[in-house]
Coordinates of all heavy atoms in Angstrom, one line a residue:
D1 N 72.5 -172.4 135.1 CA 73.8 -172.8 134.4 C 74.8 -171.8 134.9 O 74.7 -170.5 134.6 CB 73.5 -172.7 133.0 CG 74.8 -172.9 132.2 OD1 75.9 -173.1 132.8 OD2 74.6 -173.0 130.9
I2 N 75.8 -172.2 135.7 CA 76.7 -171.3 136.2 C 77.7 -170.7 135.2 O 78.2 -169.5 135.5 CB 77.6 -172.1 137.3 CG1 78.3 -171.1 138.2 CG2 78.6 -173.0 136.6 CD1 78.7 -171.7 139.5
E3 N 77.9 -171.3 134.1 CA 78.7 -170.8 133.0 C 78.1 -169.5 132.4 O 78.8 -168.5 132.0 CB 79.0 -171.7 132.0 CG 79.9 -172.8 132.4 CD 80.2 -173.9 131.4 OE1 79.7 -173.7 130.2 OE2 80.6 -174.9 131.8
S4 N 76.8 -169.3 132.5 CA 76.2 -168.1 132.0 C 76.0 -167.0 133.0 O 75.4 -165.9 132.6 CB 74.8 -168.5 131.3 OG 73.9 -169.0 132.3
F5 N 76.4 -167.2 134.2 CA 76.3 -166.3 135.2 C 77.3 -165.1 135.0 O 78.5 -165.4 135.0 CB 76.6 -166.9 136.6 CG 76.4 -165.9 137.7 CD1 75.1 -165.5 138.1 CD2 77.5 -165.5 138.5 CE1 75.0 -164.6 139.2 CE2 77.4 -164.7 139.6 CZ 76.1 -164.2 139.9
N6 N 76.8 -163.9 134.9 CA 77.7 -162.7 134.6 C 77.6 -161.9 135.9 O 76.6 -161.4 136.2 CB 77.2 -162.0 133.5 CG 77.5 -162.7 132.2 OD1 78.5 -163.3 132.0 ND2 76.6 -162.5 131.2
L7 N 78.8 -161.8 136.6 CA 78.9 -161.0 137.7 C 79.6 -159.7 137.3 O 80.8 -159.7 136.9 CB 79.7 -161.7 138.8 CG 79.9 -160.9 140.1 CD1 78.5 -160.5 140.8 CD2 80.7 -161.7 141.1
K8 N 79.0 -158.5 137.3 CA 79.6 -157.2 137.0 C 80.2 -156.6 138.2 O 79.5 -156.4 139.2 CB 78.7 -156.3 136.4 CG 79.2 -155.0 136.0 CD 78.3 -154.2 135.2 CE 78.9 -152.9 134.9 NZ 79.3 -152.1 134.1
L9 N 81.5 -156.4 138.3 CA 82.2 -155.9 139.4 C 82.5 -154.4 139.1 O 82.8 -154.0 138.0 CB 83.5 -156.5 139.6 CG 83.5 -158.1 140.0 CD1 84.8 -158.6 140.2 CD2 82.7 -158.2 141.3
N10 N 82.4 -153.6 140.1 CA 82.7 -152.2 140.0 C 83.9 -151.8 140.9 O 83.9 -151.6 142.0 CB 81.5 -151.3 140.5 CG 81.7 -149.9 140.3 OD1 82.4 -149.4 139.4 ND2 81.1 -149.0 141.1
I11 N 85.1 -152.0 140.2 CA 86.3 -151.9 140.9 C 86.8 -150.5 141.1 O 86.8 -149.7 140.1 CB 87.5 -152.7 140.2 CG1 87.1 -154.2 139.9 CG2 88.8 -152.5 140.8 CD1 86.9 -155.0 141.1
E12 N 87.1 -150.1 142.2 CA 87.6 -148.6 142.5 C 88.6 -148.7 143.6 O 88.8 -149.7 144.4 CB 86.3 -147.9 143.1 CG 85.2 -147.7 142.2 CD 84.0 -147.0 142.8 OE1 83.8 -147.1 144.0 OE2 83.3 -146.3 142.1
K13 N 89.4 -147.7 143.7 CA 90.3 -147.5 144.6 C 89.7 -147.1 146.0 O 88.9 -146.2 146.0 CB 91.4 -146.4 144.2 CG 92.6 -146.2 145.0 CD 93.5 -145.2 144.4 CE 94.7 -145.0 145.2 NZ 95.6 -144.0 144.6
E14 N 90.0 -147.8 147.0 CA 89.3 -147.6 148.3 C 90.3 -147.6 149.4 O 91.3 -148.2 149.4 CB 88.3 -148.7 148.6 CG 87.1 -148.6 147.6 CD 86.2 -147.5 147.8 OE1 86.2 -146.8 148.8 OE2 85.4 -147.3 146.9
D15 N 89.9 -146.9 150.6 CA 90.7 -146.9 151.8 C 90.1 -148.0 152.7 O 89.0 -147.8 153.1 CB 90.6 -145.5 152.4 CG 91.3 -145.3 153.7 OD1 91.4 -146.3 154.5 OD2 91.9 -144.2 153.9
L16 N 90.9 -148.9 153.0 CA 90.4 -150.1 153.8 C 90.0 -149.7 155.3 O 89.0 -150.1 155.8 CB 91.5 -151.2 153.9 CG 91.0 -152.4 154.6 CD1 89.7 -153.1 154.1 CD2 92.1 -153.5 154.7
G17 N 90.7 -148.8 155.7 CA 90.4 -148.2 157.1 C 89.0 -147.6 157.2 O 88.3 -147.8 158.1
K18 N 88.7 -146.7 156.2 CA 87.5 -146.1 156.2 C 86.4 -147.2 155.9 O 85.2 -147.0 156.5 CB 87.5 -145.1 155.0 CG 88.4 -143.9 155.3 CD 87.9 -142.9 156.3 CE 88.7 -141.8 156.4 NZ 88.7 -141.2 157.7
M19 N 86.7 -148.2 155.1 CA 85.6 -149.2 154.8 C 85.3 -150.0 156.0 O 84.2 -150.3 156.3 CB 86.1 -150.1 153.8 CG 86.1 -149.4 152.3 SD 86.2 -150.7 151.0 CE 84.5 -151.4 151.0
L20 N 86.4 -150.3 156.9 CA 86.1 -150.9 158.2 C 85.4 -150.1 159.1 O 84.4 -150.6 159.8 CB 87.4 -151.4 158.9 CG 88.2 -152.5 158.1 CD1 89.6 -152.6 158.6 CD2 87.4 -153.8 158.3
E21 N 85.6 -148.9 159.2 CA 84.9 -148.0 160.1 C 83.4 -147.9 159.6 O 82.4 -148.0 160.5 CB 85.4 -146.6 160.0 CG 86.7 -146.3 160.6 CD 87.3 -144.9 160.5 OE1 86.7 -144.1 159.8 OE2 88.4 -144.7 160.8
N22 N 83.1 -147.8 158.3 CA 81.8 -147.9 157.8 C 81.1 -149.1 158.1 O 79.8 -149.2 158.5 CB 81.7 -147.5 156.3 CG 82.1 -146.0 156.0 OD1 82.0 -145.2 156.9 ND2 82.6 -145.8 154.8
A23 N 81.8 -150.2 158.0 CA 81.2 -151.6 158.2 C 80.8 -151.6 159.6 O 79.7 -152.2 160.0 CB 82.2 -152.6 157.9
I24 N 81.6 -151.2 160.6 CA 81.2 -151.3 162.0 C 80.0 -150.3 162.2 O 79.1 -150.8 162.9 CB 82.4 -150.7 162.8 CG1 83.6 -151.7 162.8 CG2 82.0 -150.6 164.3 CD1 84.9 -151.3 163.4
F25 N 80.0 -149.2 161.6 CA 78.8 -148.4 161.8 C 77.6 -148.9 161.2 O 76.4 -148.8 161.8 CB 79.1 -147.0 161.0 CG 77.9 -146.0 161.2 CD1 77.8 -145.3 162.3 CD2 77.1 -145.8 160.1 CE1 76.7 -144.4 162.5 CE2 76.1 -144.8 160.2 CZ 75.9 -144.2 161.4
Q26 N 77.6 -149.6 160.1 CA 76.5 -150.3 159.4 C 76.0 -151.5 160.2 O 74.9 -152.0 160.0 CB 76.8 -150.6 157.9 CG 76.8 -149.3 157.1 CD 77.2 -149.6 155.7 OE1 76.8 -150.7 155.2 NE2 77.8 -148.7 155.0
S27 N 76.8 -152.1 160.9 CA 76.5 -153.4 161.5 C 75.7 -153.2 162.8 O 75.3 -152.1 163.0 CB 77.8 -154.2 161.9 OG 78.5 -153.6 163.0
N28 N 75.4 -154.3 163.5 CA 74.6 -154.2 164.7 C 75.4 -153.8 165.9 O 75.3 -154.3 167.0 CB 73.9 -155.5 165.1 CG 72.8 -155.7 163.9 OD1 72.1 -154.9 163.5 ND2 72.7 -157.0 163.4
A29 N 76.4 -152.9 165.8 CA 77.5 -152.6 166.7 C 77.0 -151.5 167.8 O 77.9 -151.2 168.5 CB 78.7 -152.2 166.0
K30 N 75.9 -151.0 167.7 CA 75.5 -150.0 168.7 C 75.7 -150.4 170.1 O 75.4 -151.5 170.5 CB 74.0 -149.6 168.5 CG 73.8 -148.8 167.3 CD 73.1 -149.6 166.3 CE 72.9 -148.9 165.0 NZ 73.4 -149.5 163.8
E31 N 76.4 -149.6 170.9 CA 76.7 -150.0 172.2 C 77.5 -151.2 172.5 O 77.5 -151.8 173.6 CB 75.4 -149.9 173.1 CG 74.6 -148.6 173.0 CD 73.4 -148.7 173.8 OE1 73.2 -149.5 174.6 OE2 72.4 -147.9 173.4
K32 N 78.2 -151.6 171.5 CA 79.2 -152.7 171.6 C 80.6 -152.1 171.8 O 80.9 -151.1 171.2 CB 79.1 -153.7 170.5 CG 77.7 -154.3 170.4 CD 77.4 -155.2 171.5 CE 76.1 -155.9 171.5 NZ 75.8 -156.8 172.5
D33 N 81.5 -152.9 172.4 CA 82.9 -152.5 172.5 C 83.7 -153.1 171.3 O 84.2 -154.2 171.4 CB 83.4 -153.0 173.9 CG 84.8 -152.4 174.1 OD1 85.3 -151.6 173.4 OD2 85.4 -152.8 175.1
I34 N 83.7 -152.3 170.2 CA 84.4 -152.9 169.0 C 85.6 -152.0 169.0 O 85.5 -150.7 168.8 CB 83.6 -152.8 167.8 CG1 82.5 -153.8 168.0 CG2 84.5 -153.2 166.6 CD1 81.5 -153.9 166.7
R35 N 86.8 -152.6 168.8 CA 88.1 -151.8 168.8 C 88.8 -152.1 167.5 O 89.1 -153.1 167.1 CB 89.0 -152.2 170.0 CG 88.4 -151.9 171.3 CD 89.2 -152.5 172.4 NE 88.4 -152.4 173.6 CZ 88.9 -152.9 174.8 NH1 90.1 -153.4 174.9 NH2 88.1 -152.8 175.9
L36 N 88.9 -151.0 166.7 CA 89.5 -151.1 165.4 C 90.9 -150.5 165.4 O 91.1 -149.3 165.9 CB 88.7 -150.3 164.4 CG 89.1 -150.2 163.0 CD1 89.4 -151.4 162.3 CD2 88.2 -149.2 162.1
T37 N 91.9 -151.2 164.9 CA 93.2 -150.8 164.7 C 93.6 -150.9 163.2 O 93.5 -152.1 162.7 CB 94.2 -151.5 165.6 OG1 93.8 -151.5 166.9 CG2 95.6 -151.0 165.5
V38 N 94.0 -149.9 162.6 CA 94.3 -150.0 161.2 C 95.8 -149.5 161.0 O 96.2 -148.3 161.5 CB 93.5 -149.2 160.3 CG1 93.9 -149.2 158.9 CG2 92.0 -149.6 160.4
D39 N 96.7 -150.3 160.4 CA 98.1 -149.9 160.2 C 98.1 -148.7 159.2 O 97.6 -148.9 158.1 CB 98.7 -151.1 159.6 CG 100.3 -151.0 159.4 OD1 100.7 -149.8 159.2 OD2 101.0 -151.9 159.2
P40 N 98.8 -147.6 159.5 CA 98.8 -146.4 158.7 C 99.6 -146.8 157.4 O 99.5 -146.0 156.4 CB 99.5 -145.4 159.5 CG 100.2 -146.1 160.5 CD 99.5 -147.4 160.7
D41 N 100.3 -147.9 157.3 CA 101.1 -148.2 156.1 C 100.3 -149.0 155.1 O 100.8 -149.3 154.0 CB 102.3 -149.0 156.5 CG 103.3 -148.2 157.3 OD1 103.4 -147.0 157.1 OD2 104.1 -148.8 158.0
I42 N 99.0 -149.2 155.4 CA 98.2 -150.0 154.4 C 97.9 -149.0 153.2 O 97.4 -148.0 153.3 CB 96.9 -150.5 155.0 CG1 97.2 -151.5 156.1 CG2 95.9 -151.0 153.9 CD1 95.9 -152.1 156.8
D43 N 98.2 -149.6 152.0 CA 98.0 -148.8 150.8 C 96.4 -148.9 150.4 O 95.9 -149.9 150.8 CB 98.8 -149.4 149.7 CG 100.2 -149.3 149.9 OD1 100.7 -148.3 150.4 OD2 101.1 -150.3 149.6
P44 N 96.0 -148.0 149.7 CA 94.6 -148.2 149.1 C 94.5 -149.5 148.3 O 95.4 -149.9 147.8 CB 94.4 -147.0 148.3 CG 95.4 -146.0 148.8 CD 96.6 -146.8 149.3
I45 N 93.3 -150.0 148.3 CA 93.1 -151.3 147.7 C 92.1 -151.0 146.4 O 91.3 -150.1 146.5 CB 92.5 -152.4 148.6 CG1 91.2 -151.9 149.2 CG2 93.6 -152.8 149.6 CD1 90.5 -153.0 150.0
Y46 N 92.2 -151.9 145.5 CA 91.2 -151.8 144.3 C 90.3 -152.9 144.5 O 90.6 -154.1 144.6 CB 92.1 -152.0 143.0 CG 92.9 -150.7 142.7 CD1 94.2 -150.6 143.2 CD2 92.3 -149.6 142.1 CE1 94.9 -149.5 143.0 CE2 93.0 -148.4 141.8 CZ 94.3 -148.3 142.2 OH 95.0 -147.2 142.1
I47 N 89.1 -152.6 144.7 CA 88.0 -153.6 145.1 C 86.6 -153.1 144.7 O 86.4 -151.9 144.5 CB 88.1 -153.8 146.6 CG1 87.3 -155.0 147.1 CG2 87.7 -152.6 147.4 CD1 88.0 -156.3 146.9
D48 N 85.7 -154.1 144.6 CA 84.3 -153.7 144.4 C 83.8 -153.3 145.8 O 83.6 -154.2 146.7 CB 83.5 -154.8 143.8 CG 82.1 -154.5 143.6 OD1 81.5 -153.8 144.4 OD2 81.6 -154.9 142.5
S49 N 83.7 -152.1 146.2 CA 83.4 -151.7 147.6 C 82.1 -152.2 148.0 O 81.9 -152.5 149.2 CB 83.5 -150.1 147.6 OG 82.6 -149.5 146.9
D50 N 81.1 -152.2 147.2 CA 79.8 -152.7 147.6 C 79.8 -154.2 148.0 O 79.2 -154.5 149.2 CB 78.7 -152.6 146.5 CG 78.3 -151.2 146.3 OD1 78.5 -150.3 147.1 OD2 78.0 -150.9 145.0
R51 N 80.6 -154.9 147.3 CA 80.6 -156.4 147.7 C 81.5 -156.6 148.9 O 81.2 -157.4 149.9 CB 81.2 -157.2 146.5 CG 80.2 -157.2 145.4 CD 80.4 -158.4 144.4 NE 79.6 -158.4 143.2 CZ 78.4 -157.8 142.9 NH1 77.9 -157.0 143.6 NH2 77.9 -158.1 141.8
L52 N 82.6 -155.9 149.0 CA 83.5 -155.9 150.3 C 82.7 -155.6 151.5 O 82.7 -156.0 152.5 CB 84.7 -155.3 150.1 CG 85.7 -155.3 151.2 CD1 86.0 -156.7 151.5 CD2 86.9 -154.5 150.9
M53 N 81.9 -154.5 151.3 CA 81.1 -153.9 152.4 C 80.2 -154.9 152.9 O 80.0 -155.1 154.1 CB 80.4 -152.7 152.1 CG 79.7 -151.9 153.2 SD 80.9 -151.5 154.6 CE 81.9 -150.2 153.8
Q54 N 79.5 -155.7 152.0 CA 78.6 -156.8 152.4 C 79.3 -157.8 153.3 O 78.9 -158.2 154.3 CB 78.0 -157.6 151.2 CG 77.0 -156.7 150.4 CD 76.5 -157.4 149.2 OE1 77.2 -158.1 148.6 NE2 75.3 -157.1 148.7
V55 N 80.5 -158.1 152.9 CA 81.4 -159.2 153.6 C 81.8 -158.6 155.0 O 81.6 -159.2 155.9 CB 82.6 -159.6 152.8 CG1 83.6 -160.4 153.6 CG2 82.2 -160.3 151.5
L56 N 82.3 -157.4 155.0 CA 82.7 -156.7 156.2 C 81.5 -156.7 157.3 O 81.7 -156.9 158.4 CB 83.4 -155.5 156.0 CG 84.6 -155.5 155.2 CD1 85.2 -154.1 154.9 CD2 85.8 -156.3 155.8
V57 N 80.4 -156.1 156.8 CA 79.3 -156.0 157.8 C 78.9 -157.3 158.3 O 78.6 -157.5 159.4 CB 78.1 -155.2 157.0 CG1 76.9 -155.3 157.8 CG2 78.5 -153.8 156.7
N58 N 78.8 -158.3 157.4 CA 78.5 -159.6 157.8 C 79.4 -160.2 158.9 O 79.0 -160.7 159.8 CB 78.5 -160.6 156.6 CG 77.8 -161.9 156.9 OD1 76.9 -162.1 157.7 ND2 78.3 -163.0 156.3
L59 N 80.7 -160.0 158.7 CA 81.7 -160.5 159.6 C 81.6 -159.7 161.0 O 81.7 -160.3 162.0 CB 83.2 -160.1 159.1 CG 83.6 -161.1 158.0 CD1 85.0 -160.6 157.5 CD2 83.8 -162.5 158.5
C60 N 81.2 -158.4 160.9 CA 81.1 -157.6 162.2 C 79.7 -158.2 162.9 O 79.8 -158.4 164.1 CB 80.9 -156.2 161.9 SG 82.4 -155.4 161.4
D61 N 78.7 -158.4 162.1 CA 77.4 -158.9 162.7 C 77.6 -160.2 163.3 O 77.1 -160.5 164.4 CB 76.3 -158.9 161.6 CG 75.8 -157.6 161.3 OD1 76.0 -156.7 162.1 OD2 75.2 -157.4 160.3
N62 N 78.4 -161.2 162.7 CA 78.7 -162.4 163.2 C 79.5 -162.3 164.5 O 79.3 -163.1 165.4 CB 79.4 -163.4 162.2 CG 78.3 -163.8 161.1 OD1 77.2 -163.9 161.4 ND2 78.8 -164.3 160.0
A63 N 80.5 -161.5 164.5 CA 81.4 -161.3 165.7 C 80.5 -160.8 166.9 O 80.7 -161.4 168.1 CB 82.5 -160.3 165.4
I64 N 79.5 -160.0 166.7 CA 78.7 -159.5 167.7 C 77.7 -160.7 168.1 O 77.5 -160.9 169.3 CB 77.9 -158.3 167.2 CG1 78.8 -157.1 167.0 CG2 76.8 -157.9 168.2 CD1 78.3 -156.0 166.2
K65 N 77.2 -161.3 167.2 CA 76.1 -162.3 167.4 C 76.7 -163.5 168.3 O 76.1 -163.9 169.2 CB 75.6 -162.9 166.2 CG 74.6 -163.9 166.3 CD 74.2 -164.4 164.9 CE 73.1 -165.6 165.0 NZ 72.6 -165.9 163.6
Y66 N 77.9 -163.9 167.9 CA 78.6 -165.1 168.6 C 79.5 -164.7 169.7 O 80.2 -165.5 170.4 CB 79.3 -165.9 167.6 CG 78.3 -166.5 166.6 CD1 78.2 -166.0 165.3 CD2 77.5 -167.5 167.0 CE1 77.3 -166.6 164.4 CE2 76.5 -168.1 166.0 CZ 76.5 -167.5 164.8 OH 75.5 -168.1 164.0
N67 N 79.6 -163.4 170.2 CA 80.2 -163.0 171.3 C 79.4 -163.2 172.6 O 78.8 -162.2 173.0 CB 80.7 -161.6 171.1 CG 81.6 -161.0 172.2 OD1 82.0 -161.7 173.0 ND2 81.9 -159.6 172.2
K68 N 79.5 -164.4 173.1 CA 78.6 -164.7 174.2 C 78.9 -164.1 175.5 O 78.2 -163.8 176.4 CB 78.5 -166.1 174.4 CG 78.0 -166.9 173.2 CD 76.6 -166.6 172.9 CE 76.0 -167.4 171.7 NZ 74.8 -166.9 171.1
N69 N 80.3 -163.8 175.7 CA 80.7 -163.2 177.0 C 80.8 -161.7 177.0 O 81.3 -161.1 177.9 CB 82.1 -163.8 177.3 CG 82.0 -165.3 177.5 OD1 81.0 -165.8 178.0 ND2 83.0 -165.9 177.1
D70 N 80.3 -161.0 176.0 CA 80.4 -159.6 175.8 C 81.7 -159.0 175.9 O 81.8 -157.9 176.6 CB 79.2 -159.0 176.8 CG 78.6 -157.8 176.3 OD1 78.6 -157.6 175.0 OD2 78.2 -156.9 177.0
E71 N 82.7 -159.7 175.5 CA 84.1 -159.3 175.5 C 84.3 -158.3 174.4 O 83.6 -158.2 173.4 CB 85.0 -160.4 175.4 CG 85.0 -161.3 176.6 CD 85.8 -162.6 176.4 OE1 86.5 -162.7 175.3 OE2 85.8 -163.4 177.3
P72 N 85.3 -157.4 174.4 CA 85.7 -156.5 173.4 C 85.8 -157.3 172.1 O 86.5 -158.3 172.1 CB 87.0 -155.8 173.7 CG 87.0 -156.0 175.3 CD 86.3 -157.3 175.6
I73 N 85.5 -156.8 170.9 CA 85.7 -157.4 169.6 C 86.8 -156.5 169.0 O 86.7 -155.3 168.8 CB 84.4 -157.3 168.8 CG1 83.3 -158.1 169.4 CG2 84.8 -157.7 167.4 CD1 82.0 -157.9 168.8
L74 N 87.9 -157.2 168.7 CA 89.1 -156.6 168.2 C 89.2 -156.8 166.7 O 89.1 -158.0 166.1 CB 90.3 -157.1 168.8 CG 90.3 -157.1 170.3 CD1 91.6 -157.8 170.8 CD2 90.2 -155.8 170.9
I75 N 89.3 -155.8 166.0 CA 89.5 -155.8 164.5 C 90.8 -155.2 164.1 O 91.0 -153.9 164.4 CB 88.3 -155.1 163.7 CG1 87.0 -155.8 164.0 CG2 88.6 -155.1 162.2 CD1 85.8 -155.1 163.4
N76 N 91.8 -155.8 163.6 CA 93.1 -155.3 163.2 C 93.4 -155.5 161.8 O 93.1 -156.5 161.2 CB 94.1 -156.0 164.1 CG 94.0 -155.9 165.6 OD1 93.9 -154.7 166.0 ND2 93.8 -157.0 166.4
A77 N 93.8 -154.4 161.1 CA 94.1 -154.5 159.7 C 95.6 -154.0 159.7 O 95.9 -152.9 160.0 CB 93.2 -153.6 158.8
K78 N 96.4 -155.0 159.1 CA 97.8 -154.5 159.0 C 98.4 -154.9 157.6 O 97.9 -156.0 157.0 CB 98.6 -155.1 160.1 CG 98.8 -156.5 160.1 CD 99.6 -157.0 161.3 CE 99.8 -158.5 161.3 NZ 100.7 -158.9 162.3
K79 N 99.4 -154.3 157.2 CA 100.1 -154.6 156.0 C 101.0 -155.7 156.2 O 101.8 -155.6 157.1 CB 100.7 -153.4 155.5 CG 101.4 -153.5 154.1 CD 102.0 -152.2 153.6 CE 102.6 -152.4 152.2 NZ 103.1 -151.1 151.8
I80 N 100.9 -156.7 155.4 CA 101.8 -157.8 155.5 C 102.9 -157.6 154.5 O 102.7 -157.4 153.3 CB 101.1 -159.2 155.2 CG1 100.0 -159.4 156.2 CG2 102.1 -160.3 155.2 CD1 99.2 -160.6 155.9
K81 N 104.2 -157.7 155.0 CA 105.3 -157.3 154.1 C 105.9 -158.5 153.6 O 105.9 -159.6 154.0 CB 106.3 -156.5 155.0 CG 105.6 -155.2 155.5 CD 106.6 -154.5 156.5 CE 105.7 -153.3 156.8 NZ 106.1 -152.5 157.9

């Protein structure tokens, strides 16, 4: 029963750039050309870091897995004004 599902979130202030760096490190990125660019104007975010990390690592792993031509993988984070 989906209505009885209780999801407990642990919301904390986090640095998105650091989280992206950690996600790349935790993914299957060894010896891959992954280029990360983080806008210095990005404010810290309030997020459940464990859940976001799962998503970010999964995205990195998928980018590596489906990168058939072994081209550089570009990850850009910027503040939208």
Side-chain angles (χ1 to χ4, degrees):
D1 176 357
I2 198 159
E3 291 177 11
S4 64
F5 182 72
N6 289 325
L7 179 63
K8 183 171 172 125
L9 298 175
N10 185 23
I11 306 297
E12 298 176 330
K13 186 176 179 180
E14 295 289 343
D15 180 320
L16 183 59
K18 296 283 186 210
M19 290 195 72
L20 286 166
E21 289 174 3
N22 289 336
I24 292 168
F25 180 76
Q26 290 180 32
S27 69
N28 294 316
K30 286 107 181 125
E31 300 178 23
K32 297 292 181 182
D33 187 5
I34 298 181
R35 300 175 189 175
L36 173 63
T37 305
V38 179
D39 183 342
D41 293 334
I42 292 180
D43 297 322
I45 58 174
Y46 289 89
I47 193 78
D48 184 317
S49 60
D50 292 334
R51 294 203 184 341
L52 180 58
M53 188 59 66
Q54 288 175 329
V55 171
L56 295 174
V57 170
N58 188 35
L59 288 171
C60 290
D61 285 340
N62 284 341
I64 293 164
K65 180 178 178 179
Y66 295 107
N67 183 8
K68 299 297 182 196
N69 297 328
D70 211 25
E71 295 176 358
I73 296 169
L74 308 176
I75 301 173
N76 298 306
K78 66 180 184 174
K79 185 174 184 174
I80 299 175
K81 299 174 181 166

